[in-house]
Structure formats: structure tokens, C-alpha cells
Amino acid sequence: EHRKWADSHYIIGDAFKGISKVADGIIHFAEVDPPYAIDLEARKSRTQGKTTSDYEEWTEEDYPDLLAGMAKQVYRVMYVNSFCVWWFGPTWWSLTKETLTKAGFKVNEVPAIWYKGIAGQTASPDTSLGSAYEPCWICRKGNPKLRWPGRSNVFEVNPVAPLKKIH
């Protein structure tokens, strides 16, 4: 059996430019983690000194149009029966689901959860809980079958250390 592992088959760069070069209907799985329009640069302390200079945040004003453009492109390149995992910030819960549906995806009514196993940092530890999870939409183009039917929508995986992240 031949497999290509994602860690050796990706390109870091402008997603809109890159996806425009991809042929229609050839991608069997996509994981999309767009900027959340949360002013990441202002939250830079979370990266523990790592620069975010290559990271291009989306503004709140541009977010809906950029999200719609990317959703249409991802749907276009997806194979007829394929899955997509689409990460989103909770602020954009409804807009993201609506946008993915308009692009053609079938979106589960309940998002999946990445449980990180530990509470994350918070700017106000005395008044705010640390976030220990991130939500994502599980989207389908066509009717792909799950490898493990009935699997839970909660995925418990420890996060990558901040100094090892490429964002």
C-alpha cells in the first residue's frame, strides 16, 4: 500500500495562490485552518518570542468574503466523495457553517472538538477559564464513508509546543 504522509507533502505559502493551481476534484481530504480574524499579533505573547511576521491575519471586515472565497475553492478541488475538516474561531461559528453550506458542503450539525488535554493560557486567569479545546466543522462533499463508523466527534490529542508551530 502506498501512502503519502502530510508532513512531507505540503507547501507553506499563500493559500489562495496555491489552490488556484490545483485541478478540480482531485483532493480526497482537506484540513483548512484559516486565520480567525482575532488580531493574532496582539496575542503574540502566546508564541513565547516566536515571530508571527509571516502570518497574515484577516480583518473582521474582510473575513466573510475571504472565508467564502476559500470555501468555494476548497469545494472545487475536493474529490466527489471526500471529507474536509474546517477549523474556526467560536466568534465565527454561524457564519462559517453557513458559508460552508453555501459553498456546497454537507456540514454536520454539531461541530467536532479537539480536546487538548490541558487548559490553555488566558489573558485574565482570575476571571476567565483557560481554553482546553478548539471546534471544527466536519464537512462532506458527496457521501464519503467513515473509516470507523460511529466514532466520537471528540479528538483528544496533545497540542504542538508553541516554539514548534508554523502558523
Side-chain angles (χ1 to χ4, degrees), residues 53-87:
S53 63
D54 292 337
Y55 179 81
E56 292 184 32
E57 180 65 88
W58 292 356
T59 66
E60 286 186 30
E61 295 79 22
D62 293 338
Y63 193 84
D65 290 338
L66 292 170
L67 185 70
M70 184 53 64
K72 288 177 189 172
Q73 286 292 328
V74 171
Y75 188 83
R76 176 187 65 78
V77 302
M78 297 293 293
Y79 182 72
V80 67
N81 289 314
S82 55
F83 284 104
C84 174
V85 172
W86 197 289
W87 299 95

Side-chain angles (χ1 to χ4, degrees), residues 27-153:
I27 305 296
H28 288 259
F29 174 80
E31 181 176 4
V32 183
D33 189 7
Y36 293 173
I38 60 169
D39 192 10
L40 186 64
E41 198 64 33
R43 299 170 182 232
K44 196 158 79 170
S45 64
R46 293 177 53 188
T47 63
Q48 298 177 3
K50 186 174 179 182
T51 180
T52 56
S53 63
D54 292 337
Y55 179 81
E56 292 184 32
E57 180 65 88
W58 292 356
T59 66
E60 286 186 30
E61 295 79 22
D62 293 338
Y63 193 84
D65 290 338
L66 292 170
L67 185 70
M70 184 53 64
K72 288 177 189 172
Q73 286 292 328
V74 171
Y75 188 83
R76 176 187 65 78
V77 302
M78 297 293 293
Y79 182 72
V80 67
N81 289 314
S82 55
F83 284 104
C84 174
V85 172
W86 197 289
W87 299 95
F88 65 92
T91 305
W92 303 103
W93 177 296
S94 297
L95 175 71
T96 304
K97 184 175 184 290
E98 178 182 311
T99 301
L100 294 169
T101 301
K102 283 182 181 176
F105 286 107
K106 295 174 188 169
V107 182
N108 288 9
E109 288 299 313
V110 177
I113 298 295
W114 166 31
Y115 173 60
K116 300 176 183 183
I118 57 170
Q121 296 177 346
T122 177
S124 305
D126 291 335
T127 58
S128 298
L129 299 174
S131 178
Y133 76 92
E134 286 188 39
C136 62
W137 293 116
I138 304 299
C139 313
R140 300 182 321 275
K141 180 175 180 179
N143 292 303
K145 302 294 181 204
L146 290 170
R147 185 171 182 180
W148 294 289
R151 191 220 183 277
S152 167
N153 65 349

